């Protein structure tokens, strides 16, 4: 069972985000880390491979500046090797171009039985790349899976819905997006972290993959204005002295909701 | 006018159009007099309601027979577009099915997508969508620069649904072509998570709990308070991921967007992901041990304290008042 996990390397969410003044795109020029959402996919892949007779779990990522530090985290968890697509010509790519690039890289990596991604990234959260990738590859997909098992040549997933969840069956190969919480990601062990330093990461450009980068001009979209939203003002903050509950009740009474 | 006609990806629940569908139709008819709904399923029961909110026509695929909407509905849309009815804009709800259909269609049409929007305008820059970023502090206006159809999705409650007293929409069949391997997944069972009391996204009062509750057992405090206030219980993503409560309780960017009269956040620090789902509430009360928690930045009343002390006291007092 060969599984490819799509991982995104993002600016640390703990630091405030900022827009690049000239492009109005999110700044991604510093050190990038593995998107926490992707740790679930990596863990799911490792567990599925182990439960289905082994096989490789490989990762693929598209990132600026040859950035690999987030990929090393996924390799430290246990993924075997990585493929990085890094190309200045891809800067400004929209989700559709990203999906085309990832799909081309996955095809170049060879026969994957299963492709796993998160439902959306934590920095850009467009949330369409997994399903777009499936369409580019001509594969079936189950998005928003919160439970996933594999038997032989097909998979069963519990797929999140507005009202609850659906049980879905899907033949392999397939693209799956997993929600946070589908499995509990392992922490990389010291041994894993050391081993990850020497695991191979192949780097490709768009041209290597036969994808024509469209960049800013071809993204089909352009930021025309950035404005500050009206900020919500903070109200009164009090320390609980044992009577704060009375304050809440008066607040609710004033609003005439009790 | 850059916009001639608009499609709205329509969804139903319990035999009626969803509120989200009616919100999008209301906005669509303000931008164009030529609005069609496109539904993955049978439209006979909802053509009246869709028409009332502004759709003159509804394309319906008929029963999807267990096919997932992503590949099936996008293929049906592509077939209608290839047949000559190509809308300027297709509006989708920012939810599971909306995202899947939009994503598949974007590849079929080779068109970009703009997601997570809260507004749309037909302006001098063309069709422009507005997306709040950084937890809603910054608004980004993005114009489509290529050819239509422009694919754009909207967060729930971006627009208010208002009836136009329109006549029933004309139902037009839009059958699903063979989707091959891409359409091979099948739904084998449907599970609806029942909840009692008002619906989370419609309740006048919402009480949500987060990681600060400490353990799953303490969530009953949130439920008890919600019940006493005739409100709905909600949750942060952290405790949904931890498995304390079902996903249907989640308030936030990847859950429900709520705008109640009163939102009470108990043991919730206020991650961006959560704030996006509740900062539109009219009044916010926050209870958290950490006085530096970001939730206090948006709260009208902030209590720096232990939810395990404050909530039981509050519940007792409300009970004693009957």
């Amino acid at each position: 069972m060969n599984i490819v996990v799509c991982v995104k390397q993002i600016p640390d969410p703990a630091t405030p985000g900022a827009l690049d003044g000239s492009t109005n795109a999110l700044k991604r020029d510093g050190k990038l880390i593995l998107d926490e959402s992707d740790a679930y996919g990596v863990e799911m892949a490792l567990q599925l491979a182990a439960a289905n007779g082994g096989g490789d779990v490989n990762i693929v990522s598209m990132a600026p500046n040859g950035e690999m530090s987030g990929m090393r985290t996924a390799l430290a968890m246990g993924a075997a090797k990585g493929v990085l697509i890094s190309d200045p010509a891809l800067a400004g790519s929209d989700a559709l171009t990203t999906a085309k690039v990832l799909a081309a890289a996955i095809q170049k990596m060879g026969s994957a039985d299963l492709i796993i991604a998160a439902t959306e990234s934590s920095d850009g959260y467009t949330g369409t790349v997994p399903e777009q990738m499936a369409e580019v590859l001509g594969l079936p997909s189950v998005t928003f899976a919160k439970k996933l098992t594999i038997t032989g040549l097909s998979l069963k997933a519990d797929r999140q819905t507005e009202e609850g969840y659906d049980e879905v069956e899907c033949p392999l190969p397939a693209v799956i997006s997993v929600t946070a919480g589908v499995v509990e990601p392992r922490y990389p062990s010291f041994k894993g972290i050391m081993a990850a330093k020497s695991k191979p990461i192949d780097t490709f450009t768009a041209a290597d993959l036969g994808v024509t980068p469209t960049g800013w001009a071809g993204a089909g979209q352009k930021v025309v204005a950035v404005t500050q939203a009206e900020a919500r003002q903070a109200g009164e903050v009090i320390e609980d002295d044992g009577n704060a509950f009375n304050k809440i009740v008066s607040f609710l009474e004033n609003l005439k909701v009790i | 006018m850059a916009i001639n006609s608009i499609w709205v990806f329509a969804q139903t629940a319990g035999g009626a159009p969803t509120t989200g569908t009616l919100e999008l139709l209301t906005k669509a008819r303000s931008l164009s007099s030529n609005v069609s709904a496109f539904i993955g399923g049978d439209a006979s029961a909802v053509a009246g309601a869709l028409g009332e909110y502004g759709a003159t026509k509804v394309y319906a695929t008929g029963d999807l027979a267990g096919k997932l909407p992503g590949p099936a509905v996008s293929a049906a849309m592509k077939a209608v577009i290839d047949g000559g009815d190509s809308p300027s804009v297709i509006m989708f709800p920012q939810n599971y099915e909306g995202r899947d259909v939009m994503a598949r269609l974007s590849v079929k049409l080779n068109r970009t997508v703009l997601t997570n929007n809260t507004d749309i305008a037909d302006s001098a820059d063309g069709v422009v969508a507005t997306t709040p970023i950084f937890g809603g502090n910054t608004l980004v206006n993005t114009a489509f620069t290529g050819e239509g159809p422009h694919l754009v999705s909207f967060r729930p409650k971006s627009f208010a649904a208002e009836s136009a007293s329109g006549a029933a929409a004309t139902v037009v069949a839009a059958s699903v072509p063979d989707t091959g391997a891409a359409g091979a997944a099948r739904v084998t069972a449907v599970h609806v998570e029942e909840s009692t009391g008002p619906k989370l996204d419609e309740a006048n009062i919402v009480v949500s709990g987060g990681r600060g509750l400490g353990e799953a057992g303490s969530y009953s405090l949130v439920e008890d308070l919600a019940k006493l206030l005739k409100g709905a219980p909600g949750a942060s993503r952290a405790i949904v991921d931890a498995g304390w409560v079902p996903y249907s309780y989640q308030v936030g960017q990847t859950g429900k967007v709520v705008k109640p009269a009163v939102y009470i956040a108990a043991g919730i620090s206020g991650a961006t992901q959560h704030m996006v789902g509740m900062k539109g509430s009219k009044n916010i009360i926050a209870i958290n041990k950490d006085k530096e928690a970001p939730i206090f930045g948006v709260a009208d009343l902030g209590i720096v304290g232990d939810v395990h002390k404050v909530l039981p006291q509050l519940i007792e007092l409300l009970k004693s008042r009957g």
Side-chain angles (χ1 to χ4, degrees):
Chain A
M1 159 130 269
N2 292 317
I3 306 177
V4 175
V5 185
C6 303
V7 300
K8 188 168 183 184
Q9 304 174 92
I10 63 168
D12 190 337
T15 60
L19 297 181
D20 183 292
S22 61
T23 63
N24 282 318
L26 193 64
K27 277 192 180 174
R28 293 190 174 95
D29 46 3
K31 183 180 183 304
L32 302 178
I33 64 169
L34 179 68
D35 188 335
E36 194 193 351
S37 311
D38 291 324
Y40 299 95
V42 174
E43 180 64 40
M44 188 79 247
L46 293 170
Q47 290 188 17
L48 286 172
N52 291 278
D56 275 346
V57 172
N58 297 321
I59 55 170
V60 60
S61 188
M62 176 170 139
N65 309 324
E67 185 61 55
M68 294 179 182
S69 40
M71 295 178 78
R72 294 286 173 205
T73 305
L75 294 172
M77 288 175 72
K81 66 166 189 176
V83 165
L84 170 69
I85 308 97
S86 194
D87 189 336
L90 288 170
S93 294
D94 65 340
L96 179 56
T97 305
T98 305
K100 288 176 183 173
V101 167
L102 291 172
I106 289 163
Q107 279 174 324
K108 199 174 176 86
M109 290 163 82
S111 54
D113 300 299
L114 184 63
I115 297 144
I116 298 181
T119 58
E120 62 186 23
S121 66
S122 306
D123 62 342
Y125 52 85
T126 304
T128 54
V129 170
E131 187 79 350
Q132 286 172 319
M133 228 168 34
E135 181 70 17
V136 173
L137 292 166
L139 293 179
S141 56
V142 182
T143 49
F144 312 100
K146 57 176 194 171
K147 190 178 161 197
L148 186 56
T149 54
I150 287 177
T151 332
L153 293 173
S154 73
L155 68 84
K156 284 188 183 176
D158 287 353
R159 177 180 189 271
Q160 195 67 60
T161 63
E162 296 300 311
E163 279 116 15
Y165 67 96
D166 288 351
E167 290 176 47
V168 180
E169 287 187 17
C170 181
L172 299 177
V175 177
I176 305 297
S177 77
V178 294
T179 62
V182 67
V183 280
E184 193 57 42
R186 70 193 66 185
Y187 286 103
S189 64
F190 179 71
K191 205 177 140 196
I193 293 168
M194 296 312 289
K197 291 182 196 289
S198 55
K199 286 183 178 174
I201 296 180
D202 297 334
T203 305
F204 296 124
T205 61
D208 293 336
L209 298 172
V211 178
T212 311
T214 51
W216 300 105
Q221 49 178 275
K222 182 177 177 233
V223 173
V224 291
V226 177
T227 54
Q228 290 305 304
E230 201 177 317
R232 196 184 170 102
Q233 298 299 316
E236 185 186 9
V237 179
I238 58 165
E239 299 264 353
D240 180 26
D241 57 357
N243 288 304
F245 66 103
N246 284 315
K247 189 95 183 170
I248 296 176
V249 169
S250 340
F251 186 86
L252 295 173
E253 278 173 340
N254 281 339
L255 296 172
K256 298 188 169 33
V257 293
I258 55 171
Chain B
M1 283 286 282
I3 297 178
N4 290 315
S5 61
I6 300 179
W7 287 359
V8 170
F9 173 56
Q11 294 173 292
T12 61
T18 59
T19 310
T21 300
L22 303 180
E23 290 165 6
L24 295 187
L25 285 172
T26 304
K27 184 63 188 180
R29 72 170 198 255
S30 77
L31 296 167
S32 168
S33 56
N34 187 353
V35 176
S36 302
F38 204 114
I39 196 164
D42 188 67
S44 50
V46 292
L50 294 172
E52 185 190 333
Y53 282 80
T56 50
K57 183 161 61 179
V58 50
Y59 286 109
T61 62
D63 186 14
L64 291 179
K67 293 189 195 84
L68 289 175
V73 177
S74 63
M77 285 180 165
K78 174 75 161 49
V80 174
I81 291 167
D82 287 348
D85 181 6
S86 185
S88 315
V89 174
I90 308 180
M91 297 170 77
F92 296 88
Q94 186 74 27
N95 60 24
Y96 308 112
E97 296 187 357
R99 277 158 61 158
D100 281 1
V101 174
M102 180 171 63
R104 290 267 179 185
L105 187 62
S106 83
V107 177
K108 290 182 196 296
L109 300 176
N110 199 29
R111 295 288 185 275
T112 196
V113 297
L114 289 178
T115 67
N116 286 293
N117 298 290
T118 54
D119 204 359
I120 180 171
D122 195 359
S123 75
D125 291 314
V127 177
V128 173
T130 303
T131 318
I133 62 166
F134 302 146
N137 296 332
T138 305
L139 300 174
V140 177
N141 285 352
T142 309
F144 285 98
T145 56
E147 295 284 304
H150 301 313
L151 310 181
V152 55
S153 66
F154 298 89
R155 289 187 182 155
K157 294 198 165 59
S158 293
F159 314 108
E162 285 163 25
S163 166
S165 309
T170 311
V171 180
V172 179
S175 57
V176 178
D178 180 16
T179 48
R186 287 291 177 276
V187 176
T188 55
V190 174
H191 298 265
V192 175
E193 285 162 352
E194 297 289 345
S195 64
T196 52
K199 284 170 101 175
L200 181 55
D201 49 0
E202 291 169 8
N204 196 40
I205 298 182
V206 172
V207 185
S208 285
R211 192 72 95 171
L213 289 166
E215 52 172 3
S218 298
Y219 188 76
S220 61
L221 292 170
V222 168
E223 290 176 306
D224 290 350
L225 181 58
K227 197 170 176 188
L228 280 165
L229 295 171
K230 298 185 179 60
S236 71
R237 174 169 152 180
I239 71 167
V240 171
D241 286 352
W244 296 3
V245 292
Y247 172 80
S248 54
Y249 285 55
Q250 186 173 318
V251 173
Q253 185 171 295
T254 49
K256 298 260 187 338
V257 174
V258 301
K259 294 185 175 179
V262 182
Y263 187 86
I264 303 179
I268 292 176
S269 63
T272 298
Q273 133 82 237
H274 186 75
M275 302 267 236
V276 167
M278 46 66 76
K279 64 192 269 180
S281 305
K282 287 188 195 70
N283 296 279
I284 297 171
I285 302 173
I287 309 162
N288 201 292
K289 266 202 286 206
D290 175 12
K291 67 174 194 289
E292 304 295 329
I295 192 82
F296 289 128
V298 300
D300 299 286
L301 174 61
I303 310 289
V304 181
D306 185 352
V307 289
H308 299 97
K309 289 188 182 140
V310 180
L311 290 184
Q313 289 172 320
L314 187 56
I315 289 166
E316 268 321 298
L317 179 58
L318 289 171
K319 271 187 183 160
S320 70
R321 292 160 53 113

